[in-house]
Amino acid sequence: MNTPYSMLINGRLVAGKRLEPVINPSDESVVAQSPLADAAQVDAAVEGAATAFKRWRKTTQPERRAVLLAISKVIADNSDELSTLLVKEQGRPLPLAQFEMQLAMQFLAWYAEQSVDVEVQIDEPARRVEIHHTPLGVVAGIVPWNAPIHLAIAKIAPALMTGNTIVIKPAPTTPLTTLRLGELIADVVPAGVVNIVTGGSDVGARLTTHPQIAKVSFTGSTATGKLIMASAADTLKRITLELGGNDAAIVLPDADPAAIAPMLFGMSFFNSGQVCAVIKRLYVHADLYDAVCEQMAAMANGAVLGDGLDASSQFGPVQNRAQYEKVLGYIDGARRDGRIIAGGQALRRPGYFVPLTVVRDIADGTALVDEEPFGPVLPIIKYRDIDELIERVNRSPYGLGASVWSRDVAAASRVASQIDSGTVWVNQHCALDPAVPFPTMKNSGIGCESGRSGLLEYTALKVVNINKA
Ligand code: NAD
């Protein structure tokens, strides 16, 4: 199949003047051709969104709600097609692709019930003070390749609910499912309210410097986030940056290795480790270290990798060649810096398959522990003293997520309160919920998505101060 997909620009489906093949990471075949927006098409999308904003900002909560629910219905009605396409371009197993559609619908459902009503702060005989949360204008939503639909919806839903319009740019290696969604929603979303343009960093940069873009909501790497922050400065755009993470999971000495190992494993290798907030360094108390290492290695060795459309596959490939080579580089380093007890060799087959790799006897100060590999490779580090460990964990430049594991929830919560990261989970990890803010600290970003706080990031605070005397 080599069908070119269309972009959604101001309510019209528009072909690219240039095309780029999208590669299936499971076998390196071409899935389809993706359009590459040129500068005029990016400008047309922004212009369309700016025009639509004039009408959309005046819509009522029920009108916005209806559009979000209509998008959700489109996803539900076309879930099989969208999930299958997502597997082909992203690589994840089909049940995980179906889960991504469910997550997107869950986010749409939650945001559809939100509103940003005027709050009356003071209402006295002589004066009245109102707090308004006004829309910003046109939002640019820039999305990475690990969860294209979920992350696009996590921007579209709050942007629309608060009265903004949006231009979405998916990652160049996973544009197809988002483009297809655009084709499917073209008739249910008013023209210009949601636009989808595809391409690489040039398209992204045109959006982040565009004078008519009021806000950039970016999810991606810390390096790109810094570029975006700099490029948004000139026009003083609002920014939300959801960037890289190097989440620590801390296993306290009283934890039950047999009970927690399957959860630790699941949350280290979910989507083959290609999630911002999965476990990326696992710290285990010396008393449990051997037991946890053994169990993690056994589960990794037993994992079935394969094409995501093959029902027997539990894990897919790394999403793209550049990332595949990066992950293999981290594994090479781990051969020197630690002891590989599962995986460790790229599979000899087409596609970007890296076996689930577990590394023990490795320490802080090595690339695998200190950096974000963003792939199926997990270092397990031994510790003895929890206070010293908290300091070590907090030395990381990242601050996205972390978790603490113990039979004693109160003890785990005390440790959690001392970790410098946007979220600390206790006896779970990466438990995402549209109602719960997902904030960032340090080099993991600026601001937050989800929850009421995330919603308000799409608004400007405005005070109407009335003299009634
Ligand atoms: P990336 O930064 O390379 O690319 C992300 C997006 O930015 C893509 O659409 C890309 O085309 C675009 N882009 C690249 N250069 C740009 C520029 N100069 N201006 C504007 N846009 C530009 O990230 P990636 O490799 O696609 O994704 C992996 C990273 O994303 C990891 O670091 C991961 O932790 C992070 N991530 C973070 C979260 C979160 O919520 N914090 C969620 C998922 C992924």
Side-chain angles (χ1 to χ4, degrees):
M1 184 171 87
N2 267 298
T3 326
Y5 285 75
S6 297
M7 297 180 282
L8 179 58
I9 298 178
N10 197 18
R12 290 190 312 116
L13 296 175
V14 178
K17 292 188 185 120
R18 287 178 305 137
L19 299 175
E20 184 175 67
V22 175
I23 304 300
N24 183 334
S26 287
D27 60 9
E28 299 171 63
S29 65
V30 174
V31 183
Q33 302 291 328
S34 168
L36 296 175
D38 63 16
Q41 289 172 321
V42 176
D43 292 351
V46 178
E47 190 65 46
T51 304
F53 175 63
K54 292 179 196 154
R55 295 185 307 275
W56 185 253
R57 68 178 304 172
K58 294 183 185 147
T59 51
T60 60
Q61 198 278 351
E63 288 168 320
R64 295 173 191 174
R65 178 178 185 271
V67 169
L68 260 61
L69 295 181
I71 297 174
S72 184
K73 184 169 183 326
V74 165
I75 296 176
D77 290 348
N78 298 277
S79 178
D80 287 348
E81 181 195 344
L82 292 169
S83 302
T84 304
L85 186 56
L86 183 62
V87 172
K88 286 184 186 166
E89 66 174 342
Q90 206 277 333
R92 56 173 58 199
L94 185 60
L96 244 67
Q98 289 161 336
F99 171 72
E100 180 161 344
M101 299 308 152
Q102 292 294 332
L103 204 58
M105 289 187 276
Q106 196 190 335
F107 272 62
L108 284 161
W110 186 79
Y111 278 111
E113 301 310 321
Q114 305 308 305
S115 57
V116 280
D117 300 331
V118 173
E119 296 158 29
V120 178
Q121 193 172 17
I122 297 171
D123 197 10
E124 294 169 351
R127 65 174 182 148
R128 177 180 165 93
V129 176
E130 296 173 355
I131 308 292
H132 296 233
H133 300 282
T134 64
L136 298 165
V138 183
V139 175
I142 300 180
V143 178
W145 44 257
N146 61 325
I149 292 297
H150 164 55
L151 294 172
I153 292 295
K155 300 181 189 312
I156 291 171
L160 265 54
M161 253 355 255
T162 45
N164 302 280
T165 56
I166 193 163
V167 181
I168 288 282
K169 191 200 89 62
T173 57
T174 55
L176 300 178
T177 319
T178 313
L179 287 167
R180 183 68 188 127
L181 180 63
E183 292 174 354
L184 292 166
I185 63 172
D187 290 337
V188 304
V189 177
V193 171
V194 175
N195 302 268
I196 296 167
V197 292
T198 40
S201 54
D202 56 328
V203 173
R206 186 139 191 114
L207 288 171
T208 60
T209 51
H210 201 294
Q212 282 177 287
I213 295 283
K215 173 190 169 79
V216 179
S217 173
F218 171 75
T219 304
S221 63
T222 297
T224 307
K226 289 178 183 175
L227 291 176
I228 287 177
M229 190 168 177
S231 69
D234 223 21
T235 43
L236 225 62
K237 297 185 196 318
R238 273 49 184 163
I239 50 172
T240 300
L241 303 177
E242 290 276 353
L243 309 178
N246 192 16
D247 288 17
I250 300 173
V251 178
L252 298 183
D254 73 329
D256 174 359
I260 64 170
M263 290 187 276
L264 294 173
F265 178 79
M267 279 301 121
S268 300
F269 292 109
F270 183 81
N271 201 22
S272 298
Q274 302 166 112
V275 179
C276 54
V278 288
I279 298 169
K280 297 194 179 130
R281 40 188 181 135
L282 175 56
Y283 290 94
V284 181
H285 190 272
D287 292 352
L288 309 179
Y289 188 73
D290 290 338
V292 172
C293 286
E294 267 168 36
Q295 301 214 20
M296 296 294 280
M299 284 182 279
N301 282 323
V304 179
L305 270 66
D307 188 316
L309 291 179
D310 179 338
S312 64
S313 303
Q314 297 170 324
F315 296 89
V318 170
Q319 196 279 318
N320 59 71
R321 174 164 286 282
Q323 189 63 21
Y324 169 74
E325 283 164 4
K326 187 175 154 195
V327 171
L328 291 178
Y330 277 106
I331 293 176
D332 270 348
R335 235 181 286 289
R336 279 191 316 271
D337 297 333
R339 184 148 66 90
I340 295 176
I341 52 173
Q345 297 290 345
L347 300 192
R348 288 178 177 278
R349 56 176 284 178
Y352 311 135
F353 285 96
V354 176
L356 308 193
T357 297
V358 179
V359 184
R360 61 169 288 167
D361 303 330
I362 189 162
D364 292 7
T366 57
L368 181 60
V369 179
D370 289 2
E371 298 171 16
E372 184 197 34
F374 213 63
V377 47
L378 177 74
I380 309 183
I381 312 110
K382 189 187 289 183
Y383 79 91
R384 290 179 195 283
D385 181 82
I386 188 64
D387 294 322
E388 188 234 332
L389 177 64
I390 291 167
E391 273 190 33
R392 269 162 56 195
V393 165
N394 284 342
R395 244 174 254 153
S396 171
Y398 293 106
L400 194 58
S403 58
V404 188
W405 300 75
S406 168
R407 284 185 233 232
D408 181 344
V409 170
S413 304
R414 276 195 299 279
V415 174
S417 67
Q418 298 173 71
I419 303 289
D420 297 334
S421 66
T423 303
V424 190
W425 290 280
V426 171
N427 292 332
Q428 56 180 353
H429 202 108
C430 198
L432 298 183
D433 180 334
V436 178
F438 184 58
T440 55
M441 280 190 195
K442 303 192 273 185
N443 279 6
S444 288
I446 304 242
C448 95
E449 287 200 309
S450 297
R452 184 85 189 153
S453 316
L455 184 78
L456 293 181
E457 293 221 357
Y458 287 83
T459 66
L461 193 62
K462 173 176 155 182
V463 172
V464 176
N465 196 334
I466 305 160
N467 178 1
K468 296 203 284 186

